[in-house]
Amino acid sequence: MIGCVKTSGRLAAFAVAGLLAALPGCSESDGRTGSDAVRPGAAGTVFRGGHPAAAGAGDPYFAELGNGGYDVTHYALTLAYDPDSGRLDGTAEITAKATEHLSAFNLDLLGMKVLGATVDGHEAQVRQDGQELTLQPRDHLEKGTAFRSVVRYAGTPESITHDHGWREGWLRTDKGAVAFGEPTGSMSWFPGNHHPSDKASYDITVTVPKALQAISNGQLRDRRTSGDRATFHWHQAEPMASYVATVAIGSYDIKTSRTRSGVPVVSAVDTTAGVDEDGAVLGRFPEIMEWSEGRFGPYPFSSAGLIVDQAADVPYALETQTRPTIPADIFHTTNVVHELAHQWFGNSVTPRTWRDMWLNEGFATYAEWLWTEDHGGASAQDHFDRNHAKAADDDEWDFPPAAPPSASDISRQPVYVRGAMVIHRIRQTLGDDAFRSLVRGWTQRHRHGHASTDDFTAYVEAKAGRDLDTIWDPWLYGDGKPA
């Protein structure tokens, strides 16, 4: 993500302020049975005769986000959306593997009503309590076994609004909707294990009015019409964290091509956006792709592209996997470079927890610096020096990038810019050739996996052949402005 707008010749990162406090509550099921609702268990019930899994993944900032006891391998989401009413009807088929003996397990789902659920074809007991959806299968799940859950749900998805008025989740637009999921918004439109530590492949099938299109992650497998409705089936083969899953519904001008390395490119530009009419930005996409592969290694996915949308009240872009989403009013080359870099840093090499966010944003910000350096503009050293010259009381030095004080700080300046400065200090220490090799090796070692800050520092030190506490202590973990 780049939470930025173009101001005074530079990009200023935003704060996701008050995030935990801003999470809206979800009303419990009303107790009806049949097609409209399922009977919930009593709040706080521990199901008898087994071991319910943890209701959170243990993230240091989002205690209830994600869930324990299982690992998802695939999501098959079937959605139908009515833009006029805002109603979303969904079925989520979730294939997973139990990592412990389970009598019950949780999914994250906020603001939608569950109409029914099964586990391995048998009706499951359901309880909704805030963002926690608990399923009790008829039969206990043994550790190591695969299982399939199907959840039917419906309602008007709620967006999550932050103190600054910026939103995430399922966001309605003039003609449709667009889904922004970082860090918690994906649970507003489908049930799942919504923590970056659990990635899966996806099939996302969306039915909308025939005059509109539905764009999502990966490759378009099928498009069909029936009466006044059109259905789009998208397939994301490589593992994806739920926060970078997306659906964009609207009227789009679709551009298709292939990169020099043969990756199919599908980009969608909102027909009402009135931006890039000469193709000056979108036309550079192949060049940016080729440059990124030269810097970071082979592109990690089987499809690519962009979504340019008129998403209201969203002044930031998001690195939605294979197809970054950029609001029309900030669609420029710098943001394309940043979000495309995230396909390596964040989407393929995914943080283990939200405390490791700087590995995403520090590298993506440094990609902007490398781009200008390689294209006749300011060098990375110029960017570093300009930022280091800021006064000691500048918000850039408010906290170390590897230790944001709270959830509301994970998208602030130190994570982005000071994170990039850590990367530059590594480059200064190793030299250009060794640095290029290190970056490409890092993206290959953890391709389609996860990595923590400790993983990264150990990897860099192994490549350097010595400890680098002179970088980590002041720049990555130290308080205040480094000397």
Side-chain angles (χ1 to χ4, degrees):
M1 175 170 60
I2 182 166
C4 307
V5 292
K6 193 77 171 179
T7 55
S8 303
R10 68 182 184 91
L11 294 171
F14 74 90
V16 182
L19 181 58
L20 289 176
L23 288 175
C26 167
S27 60
E28 291 189 1
S29 171
D30 60 8
R32 291 176 293 165
T33 59
S35 61
D36 291 330
V38 295
R39 179 177 298 170
T45 298
V46 175
F47 297 115
R48 292 179 296 169
H51 176 69
D59 192 88
Y61 299 127
F62 303 97
E64 295 184 345
L65 195 65
N67 304 279
Y70 63 94
D71 174 56
V72 179
T73 56
H74 185 70
Y75 291 93
L77 307 178
T78 303
L79 311 173
Y81 186 62
D82 178 7
D84 292 335
S85 66
R87 179 181 173 90
L88 179 70
D89 290 271
T91 299
E93 181 178 318
I94 304 167
T95 304
K97 181 179 180 180
T99 57
E100 56 189 81
H101 296 300
L102 296 177
S103 65
F105 60 93
N106 283 28
L107 300 166
D108 302 308
L109 182 65
L110 180 68
M112 302 288 282
K113 179 177 289 186
V114 174
L115 307 179
T118 62
V119 177
D120 288 337
H122 302 290
E123 184 177 356
Q125 292 188 36
V126 175
R127 173 164 44 90
Q128 286 186 266
D129 183 11
Q131 72 182 56
E132 296 298 327
L133 167 62
T134 305
L135 301 186
Q136 181 190 8
R138 188 191 70 173
D139 301 313
H140 293 180
L141 302 170
E142 293 186 12
K143 180 180 179 179
T145 60
F147 63 94
R148 183 173 63 94
S149 301
V150 178
V151 180
R152 295 183 299 109
Y153 60 100
T156 303
E158 299 178 6
S159 63
I160 298 169
T161 302
H162 307 300
D163 287 352
H164 290 292
W166 300 336
R167 302 180 299 147
E168 65 161 328
W170 187 272
L171 309 177
R172 295 182 69 175
T173 60
D174 289 342
K175 289 189 176 182
V178 62
F180 279 67
E182 183 177 317
T184 65
S186 293
M187 65 181 172
S188 70
W189 59 280
F190 70 96
N193 197 14
H194 290 295
H195 189 267
S197 61
D198 192 0
K199 301 200 290 188
S201 59
Y202 280 72
D203 282 280
I204 301 177
T205 302
V206 188
T207 298
V208 295
K210 187 168 61 175
L212 302 180
Q213 296 137 301
I215 313 299
S216 190
N217 311 90
Q219 295 177 301
L220 182 63
R221 285 288 180 86
D222 184 46
R223 182 190 186 280
R224 62 186 184 275
T225 58
S226 177
D228 62 352
R229 307 283 281 176
T231 299
F232 300 80
H233 173 197
W234 295 86
H235 176 68
Q236 171 59 60
E238 299 88 2
M240 177 167 72
S242 64
Y243 78 89
V244 286
T246 193
V247 170
I249 297 168
S251 176
Y252 298 101
D253 181 14
I254 306 296
K255 305 289 187 182
T256 62
S257 62
R258 285 187 179 271
T259 67
R260 183 171 295 182
S261 59
V263 177
V265 179
V266 177
S267 294
V269 180
D270 191 328
T271 58
T272 67
V275 297
D276 198 39
E277 293 178 351
D278 59 357
V281 178
L282 197 59
R284 300 197 76 176
F285 187 83
E287 175 191 359
I288 298 170
M289 274 282 291
E290 187 173 353
W291 174 83
S292 299
E293 288 188 295
R295 278 290 188 177
F296 312 135
Y299 181 68
F301 303 112
S302 55
S303 60
L306 297 166
I307 299 170
V308 183
D309 208 300
Q310 293 279 46
D313 301 324
V314 179
Y316 62 92
L318 186 63
E319 59 268 24
T320 44
Q321 189 156 304
T322 70
R323 200 154 286 113
T325 304
I326 304 178
D329 59 355
I330 57 170
F331 182 53
H332 47 73
T333 300
T334 301
N335 274 357
V336 175
V337 170
H338 184 107
E339 303 308 332
L340 192 56
H342 273 308
Q343 306 307 303
W344 286 263
F345 307 105
N347 296 9
S348 177
V349 185
T350 302
R352 291 194 184 278
T353 76
W354 285 111
R355 180 171 287 160
D356 303 307
M357 178 84 155
W358 82 275
L359 287 171
N360 297 14
E361 301 301 349
F363 266 112
T365 301
Y366 198 67
E368 299 175 34
W369 298 4
L370 291 173
W371 172 264
T372 60
E373 176 176 287
D374 290 349
H375 291 82
S379 69
Q381 186 66 51
D382 292 336
H383 287 285
F384 180 93
D385 291 341
R386 187 185 71 236
N387 283 285
H388 195 213
K390 293 178 181 177
D393 61 354
D394 190 273
D395 60 5
E396 197 164 287
W397 318 114
D398 281 354
F399 56 86
S406 70
S408 63
D409 296 306
I410 64 173
S411 288
R412 288 185 55 206
Q413 281 278 77
V415 172
Y416 285 70
V417 178
R418 188 167 166 184
M421 297 176 82
V422 172
I423 304 301
H424 189 68
R425 289 289 294 116
I426 295 169
R427 178 185 174 187
Q428 288 177 318
T429 301
L430 299 186
D432 285 356
D433 290 343
F435 174 76
R436 184 186 290 267
S437 175
L438 178 142
V439 171
R440 291 172 63 90
W442 172 253
T443 62
Q444 282 296 109
R445 172 172 292 195
H446 295 283
R447 185 180 175 94
H448 302 314
H450 297 86
S452 67
T453 298
D454 286 346
D455 293 329
F456 181 71
T457 56
Y459 172 82
V460 174
E461 289 188 341
K463 292 296 183 182
R466 62 188 186 278
D467 77 67
L468 295 176
D469 290 344
T470 54
I471 297 176
W472 314 139
D473 289 348
W475 287 96
L476 188 57
Y477 292 108
D479 293 323
K481 179 180 177 179

mmCIF file of all heavy atoms in Angstrom, residues 62-78:
data_model
loop_
_atom_site.group_PDB
_atom_site.id
_atom_site.type_symbol
_atom_site.label_atom_id
_atom_site.label_comp_id
_atom_site.label_asym_id
_atom_site.label_seq_id
_atom_site.Cartn_x
_atom_site.Cartn_y
_atom_site.Cartn_z
ATOM 1 N N PHE A 62 -3.248 -7.018 16.108
ATOM 2 C CA PHE A 62 -4.653 -7.366 15.860
ATOM 3 C C PHE A 62 -4.924 -8.726 16.484
ATOM 4 O O PHE A 62 -4.834 -9.762 15.833
ATOM 5 C CB PHE A 62 -4.941 -7.386 14.358
ATOM 6 C CG PHE A 62 -4.622 -6.101 13.657
ATOM 7 C CD1 PHE A 62 -3.425 -5.928 12.986
ATOM 8 C CD2 PHE A 62 -5.514 -5.047 13.687
ATOM 9 C CE1 PHE A 62 -3.126 -4.738 12.342
ATOM 10 C CE2 PHE A 62 -5.230 -3.843 13.062
ATOM 11 C CZ PHE A 62 -4.031 -3.689 12.384
ATOM 12 N N ALA A 63 -5.258 -8.699 17.777
ATOM 13 C CA ALA A 63 -5.343 -9.937 18.550
ATOM 14 C C ALA A 63 -6.395 -10.898 17.998
ATOM 15 O O ALA A 63 -6.223 -12.124 18.067
ATOM 16 C CB ALA A 63 -5.656 -9.612 20.012
ATOM 17 N N GLU A 64 -7.496 -10.386 17.451
ATOM 18 C CA GLU A 64 -8.578 -11.244 16.986
ATOM 19 C C GLU A 64 -8.492 -11.561 15.502
ATOM 20 O O GLU A 64 -9.286 -12.345 14.988
ATOM 21 C CB GLU A 64 -9.930 -10.592 17.277
ATOM 22 C CG GLU A 64 -10.236 -10.447 18.762
ATOM 23 C CD GLU A 64 -11.613 -9.880 19.009
ATOM 24 O OE1 GLU A 64 -12.208 -9.333 18.051
ATOM 25 O OE2 GLU A 64 -12.110 -9.996 20.140
ATOM 26 N N LEU A 65 -7.532 -10.977 14.805
ATOM 27 C CA LEU A 65 -7.438 -11.185 13.368
ATOM 28 C C LEU A 65 -6.794 -12.534 13.074
ATOM 29 O O LEU A 65 -5.803 -12.911 13.695
ATOM 30 C CB LEU A 65 -6.622 -10.065 12.731
ATOM 31 C CG LEU A 65 -6.709 -9.933 11.200
ATOM 32 C CD1 LEU A 65 -8.122 -9.551 10.778
ATOM 33 C CD2 LEU A 65 -5.710 -8.916 10.695
ATOM 34 N N GLY A 66 -7.345 -13.247 12.095
ATOM 35 C CA GLY A 66 -6.865 -14.587 11.806
ATOM 36 C C GLY A 66 -7.382 -15.570 12.835
ATOM 37 O O GLY A 66 -8.118 -15.212 13.770
ATOM 38 N N ASN A 67 -7.008 -16.823 12.687
ATOM 39 C CA ASN A 67 -7.509 -17.874 13.560
ATOM 40 C C ASN A 67 -6.491 -18.990 13.650
ATOM 41 O O ASN A 67 -5.651 -19.157 12.767
ATOM 42 C CB ASN A 67 -8.842 -18.426 13.019
ATOM 43 C CG ASN A 67 -9.879 -17.333 12.840
ATOM 44 O OD1 ASN A 67 -10.525 -16.924 13.785
ATOM 45 N ND2 ASN A 67 -10.011 -16.835 11.617
ATOM 46 N N GLY A 68 -6.580 -19.782 14.711
ATOM 47 C CA GLY A 68 -5.684 -20.900 14.888
ATOM 48 C C GLY A 68 -6.331 -22.217 14.501
ATOM 49 O O GLY A 68 -7.539 -22.302 14.265
ATOM 50 N N GLY A 69 -5.508 -23.264 14.417
ATOM 51 C CA GLY A 69 -6.026 -24.609 14.261
ATOM 52 C C GLY A 69 -6.138 -25.155 12.862
ATOM 53 O O GLY A 69 -6.424 -26.337 12.688
ATOM 54 N N TYR A 70 -5.923 -24.329 11.866
ATOM 55 C CA TYR A 70 -6.047 -24.816 10.493
ATOM 56 C C TYR A 70 -5.263 -23.911 9.548
ATOM 57 O O TYR A 70 -4.908 -22.788 9.879
ATOM 58 C CB TYR A 70 -7.517 -24.882 10.053
ATOM 59 C CG TYR A 70 -8.215 -23.531 10.014
ATOM 60 C CD1 TYR A 70 -8.287 -22.790 8.839
ATOM 61 C CD2 TYR A 70 -8.810 -22.994 11.158
ATOM 62 C CE1 TYR A 70 -8.922 -21.552 8.795
ATOM 63 C CE2 TYR A 70 -9.442 -21.760 11.129
ATOM 64 C CZ TYR A 70 -9.505 -21.045 9.946
ATOM 65 O OH TYR A 70 -10.124 -19.812 9.905
ATOM 66 N N ASP A 71 -5.022 -24.442 8.359
ATOM 67 C CA ASP A 71 -4.330 -23.704 7.314
ATOM 68 C C ASP A 71 -5.173 -23.797 6.048
ATOM 69 O O ASP A 71 -5.452 -24.899 5.564
ATOM 70 C CB ASP A 71 -2.941 -24.306 7.084
ATOM 71 C CG ASP A 71 -2.219 -23.668 5.913
ATOM 72 O OD1 ASP A 71 -2.059 -22.447 5.916
ATOM 73 O OD2 ASP A 71 -1.822 -24.401 4.993
ATOM 74 N N VAL A 72 -5.581 -22.668 5.504
ATOM 75 C CA VAL A 72 -6.404 -22.664 4.291
ATOM 76 C C VAL A 72 -5.513 -22.893 3.076
ATOM 77 O O VAL A 72 -4.437 -22.301 2.958
ATOM 78 C CB VAL A 72 -7.168 -21.335 4.141
ATOM 79 C CG1 VAL A 72 -7.992 -21.340 2.854
ATOM 80 C CG2 VAL A 72 -8.078 -21.101 5.344
ATOM 81 N N THR A 73 -5.980 -23.753 2.169
ATOM 82 C CA THR A 73 -5.260 -23.968 0.915
ATOM 83 C C THR A 73 -5.958 -23.329 -0.279
ATOM 84 O O THR A 73 -5.312 -22.976 -1.259
ATOM 85 C CB THR A 73 -5.080 -25.469 0.649
ATOM 86 O OG1 THR A 73 -6.366 -26.112 0.646
ATOM 87 C CG2 THR A 73 -4.212 -26.104 1.729
ATOM 88 N N HIS A 74 -7.301 -23.177 -0.202
ATOM 89 C CA HIS A 74 -8.016 -22.613 -1.348
ATOM 90 C C HIS A 74 -9.337 -21.991 -0.900
ATOM 91 O O HIS A 74 -10.031 -22.525 -0.041
ATOM 92 C CB HIS A 74 -8.304 -23.693 -2.387
ATOM 93 C CG HIS A 74 -8.926 -23.157 -3.646
ATOM 94 N ND1 HIS A 74 -8.230 -22.381 -4.551
ATOM 95 C CD2 HIS A 74 -10.190 -23.267 -4.144
ATOM 96 C CE1 HIS A 74 -9.035 -22.046 -5.559
ATOM 97 N NE2 HIS A 74 -10.220 -22.564 -5.329
ATOM 98 N N TYR A 75 -9.633 -20.845 -1.496
ATOM 99 C CA TYR A 75 -10.948 -20.206 -1.359
ATOM 100 C C TYR A 75 -11.641 -20.226 -2.717
ATOM 101 O O TYR A 75 -11.041 -19.837 -3.728
ATOM 102 C CB TYR A 75 -10.816 -18.741 -0.933
ATOM 103 C CG TYR A 75 -10.329 -18.493 0.465
ATOM 104 C CD1 TYR A 75 -8.973 -18.295 0.722
ATOM 105 C CD2 TYR A 75 -11.207 -18.417 1.537
ATOM 106 C CE1 TYR A 75 -8.508 -18.045 1.998
ATOM 107 C CE2 TYR A 75 -10.765 -18.161 2.825
ATOM 108 C CZ TYR A 75 -9.407 -17.971 3.051
ATOM 109 O OH TYR A 75 -8.958 -17.719 4.330
ATOM 110 N N ALA A 76 -12.895 -20.652 -2.742
ATOM 111 C CA ALA A 76 -13.745 -20.501 -3.921
ATOM 112 C C ALA A 76 -14.907 -19.611 -3.504
ATOM 113 O O ALA A 76 -15.795 -20.034 -2.756
ATOM 114 C CB ALA A 76 -14.243 -21.849 -4.422
ATOM 115 N N LEU A 77 -14.871 -18.366 -3.957
ATOM 116 C CA LEU A 77 -15.880 -17.372 -3.573
ATOM 117 C C LEU A 77 -16.831 -17.157 -4.736
ATOM 118 O O LEU A 77 -16.396 -16.871 -5.858
ATOM 119 C CB LEU A 77 -15.206 -16.049 -3.201
ATOM 120 C CG LEU A 77 -14.092 -16.115 -2.151
ATOM 121 C CD1 LEU A 77 -13.495 -14.727 -1.933
ATOM 122 C CD2 LEU A 77 -14.614 -16.691 -0.837
ATOM 123 N N THR A 78 -18.121 -17.299 -4.467
ATOM 124 C CA THR A 78 -19.154 -17.047 -5.467
ATOM 125 C C THR A 78 -20.013 -15.903 -4.959
ATOM 126 O O THR A 78 -20.686 -16.028 -3.934
ATOM 127 C CB THR A 78 -20.011 -18.303 -5.704
ATOM 128 O OG1 THR A 78 -19.157 -19.386 -6.097
ATOM 129 C CG2 THR A 78 -21.031 -18.059 -6.805
#
